[in-house]
Amino acid sequence: MNILAVGAHPDDIEIFCGGTLAKCAARGDKIFCCTATNGNIGSATLPKDEIAAIRKKEAAKAASLVGAEYICLDFDDELFYEDVNARIKFINMVRHCQPDVILTHNPHDYNPDHELTSKIINDIEVMLPIAKIETEEPPCPKMPVIYYFETEKGLGFIPTDYVDITDHFETKKQMVLCHESQKQWMADNYAGFSVDDTFIEDMVITSQYRGMQCGVKYAEAFIRCNDAYRVTPYRMLP
Ligand SMILES: [Zn+2]
């Protein structure tokens, strides 16, 4: 299958579904990682274009660990709004990847960029095969299936599906560690982080907690997109 993970910021994909991507890559799936924004506010000291360049490099390195193509749509971090341009950019990106499955944020999360990324993916699903919606890339032959990955710290998230990532946990950890520039930033801006622990600690706890729920050492959790988001009578599982 072609698997597309779409996150709002560089580091979301690795934290929330890196293990699943590693597992899919190991079985031969083709992986794509896309971030809507370039993370250009993720530093207290560097200019926006400099930190954006660093973060895109970090995300590309993390994607390379699972042989994935990395795509950045280059919207501004935390100043990301939907308009025609945003919608067309998303459609073109998904058509480029021709995914069977898309993994993206839960519609309800702690951050507006996360929620908008999820919303646009949900909104464009039915448009992907329609030829009259013109983009550089050709229309998708079918609509992909969407799964939502974990919310920040798992709050308000009741999974429908789990993926055992025990054998791929090290790869996930290495993917998250690629985001070197975010260690200090996360420690400075979010309660519960220290520079020593970095944001690895949160990821480890969540993976163990989801593992406990399904009887393995480490797991990632997902919610299958269903009619709770929007009435869609013709969605089929691959
Ligand atoms: Zn994020």
Side-chain angles (χ1 to χ4, degrees):
M1 292 200 290
N2 285 5
I3 312 286
L4 167 63
V6 188
H9 311 110
D11 74 14
D12 288 330
I13 290 170
E14 295 80 353
I15 292 170
F16 297 127
C17 68
T20 300
L21 297 183
K23 187 169 189 165
C24 289
R27 72 175 192 182
D29 291 334
K30 195 165 168 38
I31 313 294
F32 299 87
C33 296
C34 170
T35 58
T37 78
N38 53 25
N40 62 357
I41 59 147
S43 168
T45 51
L46 297 174
K48 286 171 97 171
D49 55 345
E50 250 179 72
I51 187 62
I54 290 169
R55 296 195 68 188
K56 285 194 277 186
K57 216 169 163 186
E58 290 170 342
K61 189 178 169 196
S64 76
L65 297 185
V66 292
E69 178 181 338
Y70 172 63
I71 301 160
C72 179
L73 297 181
D74 260 323
F75 291 102
D76 286 330
D77 194 343
E78 309 299 337
L79 296 172
F80 168 38
Y81 290 90
E82 187 181 11
D83 57 11
V84 173
N85 171 54
R87 187 174 284 193
I88 291 295
K89 252 182 149 175
F90 266 73
I91 293 172
N92 191 55
M93 176 277 292
V94 177
R95 285 175 170 178
H96 170 76
C97 304
Q98 300 278 325
D100 298 285
V101 173
I102 300 180
L103 310 175
T104 192
H105 293 283
N106 196 55
H108 306 293
D109 204 349
Y110 86 111
N111 178 283
D113 292 349
H114 287 205
E115 293 188 347
L116 183 56
T117 299
S118 179
K119 179 185 181 296
I120 296 177
I121 289 294
N122 277 288
D123 289 347
I124 66 170
E125 186 193 23
V126 295
M127 304 166 196
L128 296 169
I130 299 174
K132 282 196 165 47
I133 297 176
E134 292 175 4
T135 56
E136 280 174 30
E137 299 285 350
C140 293
K142 60 181 178 184
M143 285 188 290
V145 173
I146 299 170
Y147 284 82
Y148 305 131
F149 47 65
E150 194 76 58
T151 55
E152 180 70 12
K153 303 189 193 302
L155 288 169
F157 192 86
I158 305 295
T160 58
D161 295 83
Y162 294 88
V163 175
D164 177 3
I165 60 160
T166 308
D167 293 342
H168 304 277
F169 185 72
E170 262 315 304
T171 307
K172 175 180 171 112
K173 199 168 164 184
Q174 292 311 314
M175 289 171 81
V176 176
L177 284 171
C178 287
H179 296 276
E180 180 73 23
S181 71
Q182 295 309 286
K183 286 182 184 175
Q184 188 66 51
W185 173 255
M186 297 295 279
D188 288 346
N189 288 279
Y190 295 95
F193 290 103
S194 72
V195 179
D196 290 338
D197 295 333
T198 74
F199 46 135
I200 286 291
E201 191 181 13
D202 253 35
M203 181 278 284
V204 174
I205 292 168
T206 307
S207 301
Q208 286 173 333
Y209 178 62
R210 296 306 184 192
M212 181 190 71
Q213 292 176 335
C214 65
V216 300
K217 191 168 182 190
Y218 298 111
E220 284 169 348
F222 299 89
I223 293 175
R224 196 178 306 135
C225 175
N226 57 36
D227 294 349
Y229 184 80
R230 178 170 291 140
V231 175
T232 308
Y234 33 73
R235 182 177 287 118
M236 292 173 70
L237 292 173

